Amino acid sequence: MTRCGTVALAGRPNVGKSTLLNALVGEHLAIVAPKPQSTRMPVIGLLTRDDAQFIFTDSPGLLEPEYKLHEAMRAAALRAIADAEVIAYLHPLAEYPAPPLAQVARLDKPPRAPVVTVYTKADLASPRPDVLSVSAVTGAGLDALLAALREHMPESPFHYDPDELATQPMRFFAAEFIREAAFEQLHEELPYSVACEIDEFREGAEPVYIRAVIYVERDSQKGIVIGEGGRAIKALGAAARVKIETLLGQRVFLDLHVKVLPKWRRHEPSLKRLGYVTP
Ligand SMILES: Nc1nc2c(ncn2[C@@H]2O[C@H](COP(=O)(O)OP(=O)(O)O)[C@@H](O)[C@H]2O)c(=O)[nH]1
Ligand SMILES: [Mg+2]
């Protein structure tokens, strides 16, 4: 009998959830940034190894909401925990020991699913023999982690083709990679004001034609994103295009536009339109 189930990667912002998802799946699916709170929506990654199929969900970090977008992010993180068959609770090894997940997530009651505590960024701390630790950078500990998770996975037929890595549509990843480029190229708080919407995704074309809108919250931000003579938006678009082409395996023409959606992070209808589900 095979095993198959969902594994939620949970933990505070910046503990390495997205990087670990990518390392496990072997493909850059989830966006990663040195700044916290880059992940806003769950990203699903699949790994089928021997008799086990792992359905990993990367989700936003568990945080105290400061505005409406954060409420949507926290709700998504809590849903991922509630829906999981196994919870991989991530915490940096350098900050050993991890506080209880229920405390970090402010859960009323302990989660239904078994919790496997995983210490991350092991390459940055001295080793500890008594805990499960991984480094997404060196790959150390990943096989042991999979073995530990497998023990908790229900017996079940596979839900997906063993060759599949992702379940979400390419337009989702396109929007995410544009945001990732924004996190790389824009400074300070500006990436947090960036949202992205794909207006058109023409697969039949060669190169694939993608029309995307970057939303910011104020006119002054729009000026910065575009930059002098359009230089900033050009560089951002070029970086995002390469990321999209890598996952898609096809050449892309990225037609990028910048618009202002005033205070969208605090505005329920704007959040809804951008696909963020508030509780
Ligand atoms: N040295 C090292 N850095 C890591 C590791 N995993 C993640 N990071 C870095 O930690 C930061 C946050 O990672 P990310 O995956 O975005 O964290 P998330 O917010 O929990 O999803 C990024 O700068 C990553 O490059 C690791 O295993 N080793
Ligand atoms: Mg993340």
Side-chain angles (χ1 to χ4, degrees):
M1 188 61 177
T2 56
R3 294 177 184 239
C4 177
T6 50
V7 181
L9 304 178
R12 284 181 177 149
N14 225 29
V15 297
K17 298 177 293 298
S18 301
T19 311
L20 184 60
L21 177 103
N22 294 343
L24 289 166
V25 173
E27 186 82 45
H28 187 81
L29 295 179
I31 75 168
V32 169
K35 288 176 193 274
Q37 297 164 35
S38 52
T39 306
R40 291 185 189 150
M41 293 195 204
V43 179
I44 296 160
L46 307 175
L47 174 65
T48 306
R49 199 174 279 170
D50 306 323
D51 67 339
Q53 182 165 71
F54 303 86
I55 305 166
F56 292 106
T57 54
D58 176 28
S59 48
L62 295 159
L63 78 172
E64 291 307 314
E66 287 169 37
Y67 41 84
K68 274 225 150 58
L69 171 63
H70 280 169
E71 289 172 25
M73 288 161 62
R74 179 173 157 79
L78 293 180
R79 261 197 314 278
I81 289 176
D83 293 348
E85 258 117 14
V86 191
I87 298 162
Y89 168 42
L90 276 50
H91 188 81
L93 184 59
E95 293 162 37
Y96 178 93
L101 171 64
Q103 180 188 321
V104 165
R106 282 196 295 104
L107 303 175
D108 304 330
K109 48 181 195 282
R112 181 182 53 86
V115 176
V116 175
T117 301
V118 184
Y119 286 93
T120 56
K121 309 191 189 185
D123 54 294
L124 299 180
S126 357
R128 289 189 74 96
D130 52 330
V131 300
L132 191 59
S133 66
V134 297
S135 167
V137 170
T138 67
L142 296 185
D143 286 336
L145 169 60
L146 290 172
L149 296 174
R150 186 189 170 284
E151 292 302 304
H152 296 287
M153 298 250 290
E155 291 195 338
S156 152
F158 292 168
H159 295 187
Y160 297 95
D161 185 316
D163 293 332
E164 275 178 67
L165 301 177
T167 68
Q168 288 152 303
M170 205 44 223
R171 44 196 305 153
F172 168 77
F173 291 107
E176 287 290 276
F177 293 163
I178 292 167
R179 280 205 313 112
E180 186 176 49
F183 267 92
E184 287 163 358
Q185 304 203 358
L186 305 174
H187 301 294
E188 292 169 28
E189 296 298 302
L190 187 46
Y192 296 108
S193 288
V194 166
C196 183
E197 193 173 56
I198 305 298
D199 270 357
E200 199 178 333
F201 194 110
R202 225 183 292 149
E203 286 253 34
E206 167 57 36
V208 172
Y209 175 82
I210 302 174
R211 189 189 139 90
V213 180
I214 287 182
Y215 289 105
V216 289
E217 297 190 285
R218 295 192 299 273
D219 266 324
S220 58
Q221 295 175 329
K222 180 175 168 179
I224 299 171
V225 172
I226 293 172
E228 237 184 273
R231 269 195 285 276
I233 186 73
K234 206 168 163 200
L236 198 161
R241 178 176 52 75
V242 171
K243 294 171 192 285
I244 300 167
E245 286 176 337
T246 303
L247 185 61
L248 190 60
Q250 274 178 285
R251 289 203 312 121
V252 165
F253 180 85
L254 182 57
D255 186 9
L256 207 47
H257 301 262
V258 186
K259 291 185 188 170
V260 178
L261 195 55
K263 296 193 177 152
W264 65 262
R265 282 189 289 175
R266 299 168 191 275
H267 187 233
E268 186 100 36
S270 299
L271 287 169
K272 209 165 160 190
R273 154 179 182 179
L274 291 165
Y276 300 113
V277 186
T278 50

